[in-house]
Structures are given as structure tokens and as C-alpha cells.
Amino acid sequence: MDRLRSIFEVFSGDTNADRVVPPSGFTSRLTSFTAGAMAFLTVFALALSLATGRLADRWDAELARTSTIRIAAPEGQLAAQSEAVLEVLRTTPGIASARVMSDAEQRKLLEPWFGPDLPLDTLPVPRLIEVLEEGKGPDMAGLKLRLSAEAPGAVLDDHTRWRRPLVNAATRLRLLGLVSILLIAGSMAAMITLAAQSALAANGQVIGVLRLIGARDVYIARAFVRRFTLRALIGAAIGTALAMIGVAFMPAPAEEGAFLTGLGFVGWHWFLPIIVPVIAAVVAFWATRLAAFRALSRLS
Amino acid sequence: MIELKNAGFNYGGRDILSDMTLRLSPGSFHFLTGPSGSGKTTLLNLCYQALMPTTGMVRIFEQDVRAMTRDDVARVRRRIGVVHQNCQFLDHISVRDNLTLPLAVSGRESEVDQGNVDDLLSWVGLSERGDALPPELSGGERQRAALARAIIMSPDLILADEPTGNVDWEMAQRLIALLVELNRMGKTILIATHDLNLIRNTKSEVSARVLRINNTKLQLAGADL
Ligand SMILES: Nc1ncnc2c1ncn2[C@@H]1O[C@H](COP(=O)(O)OP(=O)(O)OP(=O)(O)O)[C@@H](O)[C@H]1O
Ligand SMILES: [Mg+2]
């Protein structure tokens, strides 16, 4: 309750507490500038995290759903092996359905490469079986073993082979973005602590006079806390606004899934950066408050 | 009000004050004299917890100084008006704002009455200087401003360290008259001074006790003072 009140008091009424500390134009501008720069970086790290998060989720969902089995066998064995594969699939948990692609479908898949008049029956094209997964999907390694035993011509292409690293990278990138945000917040706390400490040290006489006439530590701390919190808030608000303008003017996504052009905010995520200045102010509040009380308790 | 029991103080092993026993009862008027460097300022510092006694006990408003928190110290100081020998102000705000600062820091800013502040300024002869910044004041003007700041809270106890050190005889008389007036209103007063004439003069006005620090000890001065 007391804490809450002291947070509230930072923004309200007693401007006198502000006046007791002499103005310091230069450090004040430095503090605002740093808070602004940190907020700017935070917004970009946030945009990066959200975009890679979206990408990872989408890829993950897509590739988890389907895989393909290719059967290449001499003409006489193709039908038998297809049957065997379907039988294996029917008895494998994690598979919703499997079906042999029709000639028409296969022709359509090959058309871009070989033209529309492909004589499918005379060419040794492999037979394709499309597999739809369900739940967590089948145990891929076990499935491959069983397939090679039942149908030596079948090759399981589970897409994951090449997409898994991409999903991993995207997930890792999101994590890096979040870690960056934490680091930025930490550096801002450190920077504001240093600025507050130098302000406290520079105002030793002011603090001495205030103590002499009966000011409590809270009162003195408040004068500093108020100043640094407001500076951080204003600086971070400007930095956030600039970064959001930068993100808004990114080229629109050219195609689905394009990573670079997909960097931005979607829907309600546009509201997330608004908490950046608030967090900056909270960080400044606590950093200054701790620095002030530590400095004051060292004085006699 | 203030009580010292066998209190002593030393700087790095060198005894400045030793075995001091003193009691300032409410409404009393004390002078404190002694040669330069005898420890007058040190004794005043013990009385408002600017220094901790190294031995013995000091009680301020019935509270043992060793048991006080920093907030206790702040509360106690709001009841004590101190005029420092080298008085310090906030140099970036006006003399007038410095005078009302004690009210502001104790959350009584609404009680500031500029009329009273004007009266106070004119009592200490600073009517014209209210809007000046403290660094623009002369030594004597600073002392007078410090006295005005010390009494604005109507404190129970006033500790004044050479409050007349830098002013002419007439102004000194006037400042002491102000303190005598406050004493008649029930305030407790302790003034450290070298000025024996001032003490003699005041004793005709008010019954004051004169204490002297001699060789780290506290004595009651003789009737010649
Ligand atoms: N911070 C300090 N460190 C060491 N010694 C000090 C310190 N402050 C004061 N002293 C010494 O303590 C002694 C008493 O000092 P104090 O200021 O109390 O004397 P005083 O009686 O007020 O003198 P004056 O009449 O000149 O103001 C002096 O000898 C002084 O040198
Ligand atoms: Mg002295």
C-alpha cells in the first residue's frame, strides 16, 4: 500500500520536492536520450521476436501435418508394395489417413517440369502416397524401419528433414529477441542507477541541508526518483514512437512467409510496444529509488 | 528536552568533550561559551544528532539517540531549529523559498503564509533580500536568514551557533531580543557565543544560565557573567 502510494506520488502533486534538487540540463538530456535509444531497440527486438514466433508456429503447424511416401518398384510389384505400405500405415498410431495419389494428381504435380502430355503409364514414375498425421504424429524412425521391411521400394519423406532446422532457428531467434529485451531493460536500470548516483553525489550539500531541516529520506529520494522516472518515461515514449513508425513503414509482406518483409506487428500486437515506456518508467523508478536509499543510508 | 549523561566525544582518539552531564529543561535559556576550538559546535551537534556521542548517553525529547532510526532523527529535527556557524542553504532557490523549506519537507506547505514570511524577514532585517539567492547574501545576512529559517517551524528548541558572529552590535541586540521573545513564548534556547557583552546584556532581560567548556569539561560560569 505504502509502495503503491509512493509510486503514485511520483506523478502527482508535490512539485516542491522536485524543486529542491537543482536542475541539471545535461545529465537530464543524457538520461532521456538513453531511455529513448533503449526503447527503440526494445521495440525492434519485440517485433523480431513476434515475427519469428509467428513464422515458427506456422511452419511447425504446416509441416507437422503431412508427409509423403514415395514407392519406386518394378511394374509388377508396385501394386503389392502400395498395399503393403497402406497396411503398415493403417496399423501405425498417429496417422489420420493415407491415400494413394491418383494419376491425375501426379500428372498435375509433374506438369510444371514435363508439360501436360506426360505419358504416365509408360514412364517408371514412382507412386506417391500422401499421409495425414494426427496428434503428435507417428514415430518416424519406427515407421521407416517397418516400411523398409514390408516394402523395400518405399521412401518416407517426412518434410521435417529440411524444415526442422528452420523451425529451430526461428524458435531460437524468438528466444534471442526476448533475451535482448531483458538485457536492454537491465542496461537501462544500470545506466539510470549510474546517472542517479552521480546526481546524488553532485547534490551532497542539498541533501545535507534537507536532512538538517528535518527532511526524511523518502522526501529526498522522491525528488530524485520523480525526476529520473519522468525523464525515462518521456525519452522512452519518444523512442517507442519512432521505432513504431519505423516498423509501420516496413514494406508490406510480398508473399506469405517471407521473413524479412514479415517483420512487424499484427493485430493487437500493435498495442504491445505501448508498455515499453511504462516498463522504462518502472525500471527508472526502482533503479533511482534503490540508488537513492543506498546513498542516503551511507550519509551520517 | 535534551539530556546528556557522562557524554563524551572524540575525533580519532583525541577527546574533544568528556563526561558531560547537562539537562536542558523546557523553557530554559542557556548560553554556551568557551575558547575557540573548545568544542561548542561539537556539543551542539550532539544535541540534534548530527554527531553520535562516543561515550555516555544523549537523549533528545526523551529518546536515546542510539536507538533512533533515520526517520526518528528527521522527526526530532523538525522540533529543533538550528542556526549553523557556517549556515548552508539551497543555493538555487530564493531566500524566501529557503525559509519555507522546513515546512515543505515536513508536508506542511499549505501552512505557508507569505505575510508571516514577510514579518519574519523584516524582523531579521532582510525585507529587501527575500528574492535574492543565498550566494548573493553577505555573511551577516546569511546568519540572519538561517535564524529566520530555524524559527519558522516554531520549534520547541532553538540551537544557535554564533548567531551574532558576523553582525554589528545593534543587529546582534535585535536578534537576541527575538530569541528572548521566543523564550518568553516557552521555547527552549541554547546559544553558543564568544561575546561576553552580549551575554551580560541579555542576562538583564531573561534569567539565563551560562555554561562554559573548559578543557573538555562543562562548567557553570560564575556570577560575574
Ligand atoms: N571533523 C573533524 N575532525 C577532526 N577534528 C575536528 C573535526 N571537527 C572539529 N574538530 C576539532 O574539534 C575541536 C572542537 O571543535 P568545535 O568546532 O566544536 O570548536 P568550537 O568551540 O565550536 O570553536 P569555535 O569557537 O572556533 O567555533 C577543535 O579542536 C577542532 O579542531
Ligand atoms: Mg564553533
Side-chain angles (χ1 to χ4, degrees):
Chain A
M1 207 51 225
D2 232 25
R3 289 252 161 97
L4 208 67
R5 201 171 51 227
S6 68
I7 290 173
F8 176 70
E9 274 173 355
V10 169
F11 302 103
S12 70
D14 192 5
T15 46
N16 196 69
D18 220 15
R19 211 162 37 99
V20 299
V21 183
S24 54
F26 189 59
T27 32
S28 118
R29 278 195 295 272
L30 275 185
T31 310
S32 305
F33 169 76
T34 321
M38 298 289 185
F40 195 87
L41 295 175
T42 304
V43 172
F44 274 112
L46 194 62
L48 183 76
S49 283
L50 292 172
T52 49
R54 278 197 303 274
L55 214 54
D57 288 346
R58 198 166 60 223
W59 286 348
D60 207 29
E62 276 174 9
L63 70 82
R65 298 292 87 186
T66 61
S67 42
T68 318
I69 291 171
R70 200 159 16 95
I71 304 164
E75 185 64 28
Q77 293 174 25
L78 204 55
Q81 290 214 7
S82 300
E83 250 333 288
V85 167
L86 288 176
E87 185 54 35
V88 167
L89 291 175
R90 259 194 294 281
T91 56
T92 307
I95 290 185
S97 66
R99 93 198 152 79
V100 180
M101 279 195 192
S102 68
D103 286 351
E105 280 177 297
Q106 286 202 313
R107 190 172 289 123
K108 226 168 136 202
L109 278 177
L110 296 172
E111 209 180 80
W113 284 278
F114 301 106
D117 304 321
L118 191 67
L120 209 55
D121 358 311
T122 60
L123 282 172
V125 278
R127 175 70 45 94
L128 295 180
I129 296 180
E130 190 187 61
V131 181
L132 274 181
E133 299 163 10
E134 68 179 6
K136 296 174 110 180
D139 162 24
M140 287 296 176
L143 183 58
K144 276 178 190 167
L145 274 177
R146 285 182 64 200
L147 283 174
S148 63
E150 304 282 331
V155 176
L156 173 67
D157 176 3
D158 65 358
H159 299 190
T160 15
R161 264 211 313 276
W162 63 276
R163 269 190 170 169
R164 181 59 59 194
L166 279 184
V167 173
N168 283 346
T171 314
R172 202 65 59 78
L173 212 52
R174 166 166 58 180
L175 188 67
L176 283 179
L178 294 178
V179 170
S180 307
I181 290 174
L182 289 181
L183 287 177
I184 291 170
S187 337
M188 194 169 94
M191 191 282 306
I192 289 187
T193 302
L194 290 176
Q197 270 173 357
S198 87
L200 287 157
N203 287 296
Q205 189 199 332
V206 168
I207 293 171
V209 169
L210 291 173
R211 284 292 301 176
L212 169 74
I213 60 177
R216 293 165 65 210
D217 286 347
V218 215
Y219 181 91
I220 301 170
R222 192 155 62 220
F224 288 92
V225 166
R226 192 183 147 95
R227 180 164 295 186
F228 280 95
T229 305
L230 288 177
R231 279 176 198 164
L233 181 67
I234 291 166
I238 294 172
T240 301
L242 290 178
M244 283 177 77
I245 291 171
V247 171
F249 279 90
M250 287 287 290
E255 64 179 72
E256 199 52 37
F259 172 68
L260 277 177
T261 51
L263 185 73
F265 298 105
V266 170
W268 68 272
H269 284 170
W270 276 104
F271 291 99
L272 275 180
I274 291 173
I275 63 174
V276 170
V278 177
I279 291 175
V282 170
V283 167
F285 176 89
W286 283 109
T288 318
R289 194 179 159 90
L290 291 177
F293 277 108
R294 208 174 33 232
L296 286 168
S297 67
R298 274 201 218 106
L299 301 172
S300 62
Chain B
M1 193 141 269
I2 300 280
E3 194 183 347
L4 280 75
K5 209 180 245 172
N6 310 112
F9 188 84
N10 64 62
Y11 276 116
R14 180 176 148 236
D15 274 346
I16 307 296
L17 304 174
S18 59
D19 206 20
M20 300 230 148
T21 295
L22 168 68
R23 199 189 180 96
L24 300 185
S25 43
S28 61
F29 199 121
H30 286 85
F31 281 106
L32 179 64
T33 67
S36 176
S38 59
K40 299 184 291 297
T41 301
T42 308
L43 178 57
L44 291 189
N45 283 340
L46 290 178
C47 292
Y48 69 98
Q49 237 279 30
L51 289 176
M52 274 280 204
T54 39
T55 57
M57 186 196 69
V58 174
R59 290 167 71 88
I60 306 176
F61 297 121
E62 321 301 329
Q63 253 186 304
D64 190 330
V65 291
R66 286 184 215 282
M68 282 188 190
T69 64
R70 287 176 64 79
D71 280 355
D72 289 337
V73 172
R75 261 189 293 276
V76 153
R77 286 187 186 168
R78 291 175 190 181
R79 300 175 63 188
I80 305 179
V82 183
V83 185
H84 266 162
Q85 197 166 10
N86 53 342
C87 18
Q88 301 210 310
F89 299 90
L90 298 194
D91 289 342
H92 62 287
I93 59 175
S94 69
V95 170
R96 180 182 288 277
D97 286 343
N98 265 285
L99 293 200
T100 57
L101 204 54
L103 290 166
V105 303
S106 47
R108 290 167 54 187
E109 201 168 25
S110 57
E111 294 172 31
V112 174
D113 174 345
Q114 290 301 337
N116 286 348
V117 178
D118 284 336
D119 287 347
L120 198 54
L121 281 169
S122 80
W123 246 109
V124 296
L126 289 177
S127 300
E128 310 289 308
R129 309 294 285 141
D131 296 322
L133 294 177
E136 298 164 1
L137 299 184
S138 75
E141 285 172 332
R142 286 176 79 84
Q143 275 186 328
R144 289 182 271 151
L147 180 61
R149 181 179 66 186
I151 63 184
I152 195 156
M153 291 274 277
S154 187
D156 301 321
L157 169 66
I158 295 164
L159 303 173
D161 199 352
E162 306 280 1
T164 60
N166 286 317
V167 298
D168 57 74
W169 174 247
E170 219 160 286
M171 182 53 78
Q173 294 279 78
R174 188 164 162 168
L175 297 182
I176 293 298
L178 180 58
L179 290 171
V180 167
E181 193 57 41
L182 288 164
N183 179 246
R184 292 205 173 111
M185 290 162 60
K187 312 293 183 197
T188 311
I189 315 272
L190 174 59
I191 304 173
T193 182
H194 290 123
D195 194 339
L196 301 186
N197 279 332
L198 195 73
I199 297 178
R200 284 195 194 95
N201 223 295
T202 312
K203 280 187 80 173
S204 62
E205 298 280 321
V206 71
S207 70
R209 282 211 300 170
V210 182
L211 307 165
R212 185 200 299 277
I213 301 178
N214 198 356
N215 205 6
T216 80
K217 299 279 200 289
L218 198 62
Q219 318 171 322
L220 205 54
D224 57 320
L225 271 177

